[in-house]
Amino acid sequence: MYPFIRYATTIAHAALKAKRGDTLTFKDTSEIQFRCRLSDIDNFLEMNNGRVFTLYDLGRMDFAVRTGLGKQLLKQRWGLVIAGSTIQYRKRIRAFQKVTLKTKIVGIDARWLYIEQSMWVKGQPCSSALLRTGVTKGGRVIDTAQVLAALGQSEWDLPPTGYVAEWIESDADRPWPPTE
C-alpha cells in the first residue's frame, strides 16, 4: 500500500520549512529522516526493495516543495514524470532503523533533470538511485529552460557528466519497446 499519510506529512513538513525560510535551490541537497517501519519490511526483515523506491518519492517531494518547484507545479498546472531509473542496493535497512534520505540534482539537459537519491543509516550508504525526471504540461515534457526560468534560476547550468552521462548513453542503446 502506498504510504499516503507519510507522503502528506512530508509535504506538510517541507511547506513549513519553506515558510520558515529553510528553502533550497537546485544546487542544494535535500535531507529528510524517518524510521523504517514494520510496514516497510519484507520476509527477510529488511526494507523491501520496492518500498525503497516508493520512499524515494518522499525525498523528491521535499526537494520540490523547498525549491519552489511545488508552487510552480500548481501555478503552471505542470506535472512530474519519471522516465527512467537505476538503483544500487548495498546495505540492508532493518526495522526501526533511522534513515536519512538525500536528494540532489546531478545533471540537467534540454529536456530532463537527473536526480540522485540515497538512503543512509548511521552514516553508511545503503542504496542509491539515479532518476531521469521531467516536468510535464498537457502530457508532454517541457524544456528544462522553462522550468529554470520559472524558478528564477535560468543561469544555472549542470550538464550531465561522468556516470550520469554514461548511464544516459547506455540507456539510449536499450531497445524500446522491449522484445518478448
Side-chain angles (χ1 to χ4, degrees):
M1 179 174 194
Y2 194 82
F4 290 107
I5 294 172
R6 262 180 162 166
Y7 187 77
T9 303
T10 298
I11 292 172
H13 281 130
L16 186 59
K17 283 182 179 180
K19 188 173 183 173
R20 291 181 177 162
D22 187 4
T23 59
L24 301 171
T25 70
F26 270 23
K27 298 175 186 178
D28 296 321
T29 300
S30 159
E31 286 191 23
I32 62 171
Q33 293 185 334
F34 57 87
R35 290 214 180 261
C36 177
R37 298 179 181 176
L38 290 177
S39 58
D40 299 331
I41 63 172
D42 59 20
N43 54 328
F44 297 109
L45 304 178
E46 61 189 52
M47 189 179 289
N48 176 277
N49 62 340
R51 181 61 93 180
V52 170
F53 253 137
T54 299
L55 293 175
Y56 276 142
D57 285 352
L58 304 180
R60 289 192 305 278
M61 284 303 102
D62 178 76
F63 188 86
V65 170
R66 293 176 57 209
T67 59
L69 178 59
K71 280 186 182 179
Q72 288 301 319
L73 292 172
L74 295 171
K75 181 180 176 184
Q76 307 284 347
R77 295 184 171 211
W78 288 345
L80 294 174
V81 66
I82 303 292
S85 62
T86 182
I87 192 166
Q88 296 175 325
Y89 299 97
R90 294 293 184 261
K91 188 174 181 283
R92 294 176 176 171
I93 299 174
R94 303 280 187 188
F96 309 113
Q97 286 185 313
K98 189 175 188 179
V99 178
T100 300
L101 191 161
K102 299 180 183 186
T103 303
K104 66 181 178 180
I105 294 179
V106 292
I108 296 178
D109 62 23
R111 195 164 183 215
W112 305 109
L113 302 167
Y114 297 91
I115 297 177
E116 181 183 78
Q117 294 188 275
S118 55
M119 287 189 188
W120 300 70
V121 172
K122 296 180 182 175
Q124 297 296 310
C126 299
S127 67
S128 177
L130 175 62
L131 300 106
R132 178 185 303 110
T133 67
V135 177
T136 62
K137 173 124 183 158
R140 297 198 181 275
V141 176
I142 62 173
D143 291 340
T144 54
Q146 187 178 350
V147 176
L148 291 172
L151 294 169
Q153 297 184 41
S154 317
E155 77 292 342
W156 198 47
D157 186 35
L158 186 63
T161 59
Y163 72 97
V164 179
E166 290 170 7
W167 177 66
I168 294 166
E169 183 179 338
S170 172
D171 202 52
D173 290 337
R174 188 175 176 180
W176 187 263
T179 57
E180 296 177 44

